[in-house]
Amino acid sequence: MDPKLPSSTAHGGSVAVIGAGPAGLITAHTLVQDGFEVQILTRDKTVGGVWREGRVYPDLQINSVNGELSFSSLEMPQPDTVWGRLTGSDLNAYMEAFAAAYLHEKIRLETEVVRIQRGASGSGWLVDVEDKRTGESDSLSFARIVLCTGGCNTPTVPDSLSPAAAESVGFKGPVFHSKYFRSRLDDVLDAVKPIGPEGREAADSVIVVGGGKSAQDVAAYLANEGRKVTVVYDTMDCFLASPRPLPDFIRKSRVLSIMTPHINLRTYLERFLHTTWIGAKIVHAFWDFLAGSAFSAIGAAEDSPLRRIHSPFWSIRISDEGVPRPNRFHMLASSGKIDLVAPARVASYGHDGQSVVLHDGRVLRANAVILATGYSSSWDSIFDTQTTVKLGLKRHAPTLNAEKYHWDYRSLSNPPPAHRDGAQWASSIYRGLVPAKNIAKRDFAINGAVISTNHGMLCEVSAHWISSYFLGDQLRIPATPEDAFEAAERQAAWIRQRYPNMLLWTNESYSSSIEFCTWPQAVDELLEEMDLPSMRSGGNWLTWPFKVVDLKEIATLKEERDAKRGQAQRM
């Protein structure tokens, strides 16, 4: 990786990939294989995105339900721990190795993308950048753009809990977002002394705000360092856990996907499960069993705040904890080594400089506050309003035409109440990959913005779809922006019905579509749009749901696409 790449390019096949996380790396690799002149632009000092060096910290572990985050061209080393879990350091090493193997001199590091806009002639793209080391600015020219910026880079912090708010009342300890935990770790350890012989009641305390995976990981790390930690949240992410590891025929197969309704029920088994009374009973009993088994595995008491979780069926926030470990969040909390305050919200900082005030007036001692309060869109800062509108990147209120969409699935009966703002959620990004307004131009795409539990496979297949789209291959996609917009509106209507109370947890750059446990169906549809075989795991009418989905199934996609293209050219 050479940061001293040419500052501009006018090559007709040039592509700027914005972001060097997993989606950016696999997209760039796929485009390079197909002959494009590719340059990755990233503000970071190293590759890996959320798994980059400087952001991961010791013992940070992945929580993917469907296994390791890897790609077909480079095998992921197996974890060597007794618990069989990859760490953040493992993923960082893998991303670095992938970049070194396939993207030499294709990555421009420490390059802040300031603005992306159309070229003066209405074709191509101008990308204004700033070198973060020298402060020098430049304007680069590309024929095509792929956004791979993800949605976990721009912290969201309520004004009342911001570092400025803490400073205004004289709060004495460090206050920062969980994104900066690695870089601010020493500050926390210095400010919060270990629990001494006086016991937990007299100890300094770290308050962690939020109930998501980041909050849990941060809390567990600090508790293992001997600090008193209190986690304040309203509702926590749900989780999977069991006394023994879930077998691959459940964890890495289509079982979870068919137990989750998809917008299109393509098989008899899916239609039975989601449109019949007995099928819906089976579906909800399955998810209730998984939730109950998780509580039993961690020994959560009936009145434990650990049971205050999002419903696993209706949620897009599920962690796979595997076999509970004594040094992980749920076991630490269950054994009383992490304090939980729920349901509750932190409203402000105390005027004494060493406390926080909850929404109900309770006061908690605090020597440091870590805000695991989510992220905003990474797109907002790199597009002006005119470009955003022309592309159609922003969410919008549903069109009147979209109101005709409704799915009478029995498994979707009795949904949780929808937040009033969620009713306005609609995205006009086709398949989560291409803005509908721009679909005919074939010069702009997005990867990594679809929420799923198998990010690696979905991003890799999406990268092939994007490359075929840029090459002008024959794809089974809408012919006009109007048709693409209609398809996107239908998908948005489905997401509002499927996840009625989840949409406010997401931002535009990480929810262009939601294919949480239904990533196998999403992969199948992308393959079929490329006119390639789908449902590649095999099996008969009885065994197909339990066949392990393997990355080897998509290892030959480039060759298959090349063959299709050759056939089309000969016709």
Side-chain angles (χ1 to χ4, degrees), residues 262 264 266 429-434 439 442 461-462 464-466 468-469 472-479 483-484 487-488 490-491 515 521-534 536 557 561 564:
H262 188 252
N264 301 309
R266 297 153 58 90
I429 300 175
Y430 178 75
R431 293 283 186 208
L433 301 176
V434 178
I439 196 165
R442 295 203 179 208
V461 175
S462 296
H464 284 277
W465 189 100
I466 289 168
S468 286
Y469 172 72
D473 291 349
Q474 294 181 5
L475 297 174
R476 300 176 184 175
I477 62 176
D483 291 342
R490 179 174 180 265
Q491 178 72 13
E515 298 287 358
Q521 294 97 316
V523 164
D524 288 339
E525 290 176 341
L526 292 177
L527 291 170
E528 289 166 4
E529 287 192 341
M530 291 185 280
D531 197 25
L532 300 175
S534 60
R536 296 177 172 223
L557 286 187
R561 293 189 299 113
K564 285 289 182 183

Side-chain angles (χ1 to χ4, degrees), residues 190-344:
D190 288 342
V192 183
K193 303 307 179 187
I195 299 172
E198 301 86 358
R200 293 178 58 82
E201 292 304 317
D204 292 347
S205 181
V206 183
I207 300 296
V208 179
V209 181
K213 183 64 164 55
S214 295
Q216 296 172 18
D217 287 338
V218 165
Y221 183 89
L222 292 171
N224 288 323
E225 288 294 311
R227 270 59 176 184
K228 179 183 177 182
V229 186
T230 301
V231 183
V232 182
Y233 61 94
D234 180 69
T235 309
M236 185 173 287
D237 287 2
C238 49
F239 62 100
L240 304 181
S242 57
R244 292 177 295 278
L246 289 175
D248 285 352
F249 70 79
I250 291 179
R251 187 168 173 263
K252 297 184 180 182
S253 69
R254 292 174 178 262
V255 168
L256 295 180
S257 72
I258 65 171
M259 287 293 179
T260 303
H262 188 252
I263 187 172
N264 301 309
L265 301 178
R266 297 153 58 90
T267 66
Y268 173 80
L269 180 56
E270 289 173 279
R271 291 190 291 273
F272 166 74
L273 288 171
H274 299 292
T275 65
T276 68
W277 178 85
I278 186 62
K281 289 289 186 183
I282 293 171
V283 165
H284 286 281
F286 173 82
W287 289 104
D288 290 345
F289 172 76
L290 290 182
S293 297
F295 294 143
S296 296
I298 65 170
E302 288 296 325
D303 60 350
S304 171
L306 287 169
R307 291 179 177 264
R308 187 174 175 82
I309 64 170
H310 297 287
S311 161
F313 177 80
W314 296 102
S315 179
I316 55 173
R317 298 170 66 88
I318 302 178
S319 298
D320 180 11
E321 291 300 309
V323 177
R325 289 150 283 176
N327 65 339
R328 301 295 293 159
F329 172 79
H330 292 93
M331 291 297 286
L332 289 167
S334 183
S335 63
K337 296 178 181 178
I338 293 176
D339 296 332
L340 305 177
V341 179

Side-chain angles (χ1 to χ4, degrees), residues 169-173 204-205 207 349-357 363-369:
V169 296
F171 187 80
K172 299 173 184 177
D204 292 347
S205 181
I207 300 296
Y349 297 96
H351 288 275
D352 61 357
Q354 52 185 8
S355 65
V356 295
V357 181
V363 177
L364 302 178
R365 182 176 178 182
N367 300 90
V369 176

Side-chain angles (χ1 to χ4, degrees), residues 439-492:
I439 196 165
K441 290 183 177 291
R442 295 203 179 208
D443 67 354
F444 187 96
I446 302 161
N447 200 1
V450 178
I451 296 177
S452 97
T453 61
N454 194 332
H455 197 61
M457 176 169 271
L458 186 56
C459 281
E460 182 164 350
V461 175
S462 296
H464 284 277
W465 189 100
I466 289 168
S467 192
S468 286
Y469 172 72
F470 283 170
L471 287 168
D473 291 349
Q474 294 181 5
L475 297 174
R476 300 176 184 175
I477 62 176
T480 67
E482 293 75 19
D483 291 342
F485 186 83
E486 178 78 8
E489 285 285 294
R490 179 174 180 265
Q491 178 72 13

Side-chain angles (χ1 to χ4, degrees), residues 7 16 33-34 68 120 240 291 309 333 336 344 409 439 454 495:
S7 62
Q33 283 187 306
D34 280 341
E68 296 75 32
L240 304 181
I309 64 170
Y409 295 172
I439 196 165
N454 194 332
I495 291 171

